[in-house]
Amino acid sequence: MIIIAGLGNPGPKYQGNRHNIGFMAADEIARRWSFGPERAKFQSVIREGEVDTASGRQRVLLMKPQTFMNESGRAVAEAARFYKIKPSEVIVFHDEIDLAPGRFRMKAGGGAAGQNGVRSLISQLGPDFRRGRMGVGHPGEPQLVHGHVLSDFHKADLPWLEALLNAVADALPFALAGDDERYQAEVMRLAPAPKFSPRQAAQHAARGDG
């Protein structure tokens, strides 16, 4: 079994936030691969399913922790202990301000880079889980980061956002087969990111035009 955790904050207040792109990815994966119904377990909303990969059918536990972002690690670690799953068998999707909007990177191990959900996971699991880093851009100044990630995507962001979510779900068999490099390449092939830097993206976002 592989655990896939999308990070975000629970409740309708946060539903459209940039910080909740991990929840959005989890929802699209569940839709694309016809996962089972939602239920509450492991301090999370979970769904279970199977995905056909080149190395065979893979069971997946899909999680949206309901602990709020900063305590995401408690929920994921509880599930990992229950199923005796190694950190390398955990894939976490989360927002990444150091990537331009629409960019995508897979990474295994490393630090938190200021992402509090990832920091919580490191504290509970160690650093060796796999991260699907989904770019939301940087607002340009450190004091603006909190407001940036806790604000909703603009309508002008929706084309690249929907393309990225679809690509993350469609290419998932590569990640489940352990080929993170191929997965990253396929996501970016299916959903090329807009052509601007994180700072330019922040300026566009501030004006509400993308």
Side-chain angles (χ1 to χ4, degrees), residues 95-172:
D95 61 306
E96 177 60 76
I97 60 171
D98 291 330
L99 291 176
R103 298 293 292 174
F104 180 79
R105 291 288 181 270
M106 279 296 289
K107 176 182 179 181
Q115 218 286 353
N116 288 331
V118 174
R119 181 177 290 112
S120 175
L121 279 148
I122 291 171
S123 73
Q124 296 285 334
L125 291 176
D128 295 332
F129 58 94
R130 297 152 65 195
R131 303 103 185 264
R133 303 163 62 215
M134 306 179 75
V136 298
H138 195 289
E141 300 295 338
Q143 66 271 23
L144 301 178
V145 166
H146 183 76
H148 176 67
V149 298
L150 291 179
S151 61
D152 287 356
F153 287 104
H154 294 294
K155 286 184 179 179
D157 294 319
L158 296 184
W160 69 256
L161 176 61
E162 291 173 2
L164 179 58
L165 295 173
N166 287 334
V168 161
D170 288 346
L172 187 65

Side-chain angles (χ1 to χ4, degrees), residues 21-62:
I21 196 171
F23 274 13
M24 297 174 196
D27 288 340
E28 185 56 30
I29 288 168
R31 186 201 65 78
R32 169 65 179 82
W33 297 100
S34 302
F35 276 41
E38 289 186 339
R39 57 194 178 97
K41 194 173 183 180
F42 305 124
Q43 305 175 72
S44 303
V45 172
I46 69 166
R47 300 176 77 163
E48 295 181 70
E50 295 184 339
V51 177
D52 288 324
T53 77
S55 55
R57 183 165 289 188
Q58 178 66 62
R59 289 180 62 213
V60 176
L61 176 72
L62 190 64

Side-chain angles (χ1 to χ4, degrees), residues 174-196:
F174 293 115
L176 296 181
D179 192 344
D180 286 352
E181 185 175 344
R182 178 73 185 276
Y183 180 54
Q184 175 180 299
E186 186 67 6
V187 169
M188 294 311 301
R189 184 188 71 81
L190 294 170
K195 302 295 185 183
F196 41 60

Side-chain angles (χ1 to χ4, degrees), residues 74-101:
R74 291 194 292 110
V76 178
E78 183 180 335
R81 287 193 298 268
F82 182 85
Y83 288 107
K84 298 180 172 60
I85 284 175
K86 299 178 292 186
S88 61
E89 296 169 324
V90 175
I91 301 173
V92 178
F93 289 97
H94 63 86
D95 61 306
E96 177 60 76
I97 60 171
D98 291 330
L99 291 176

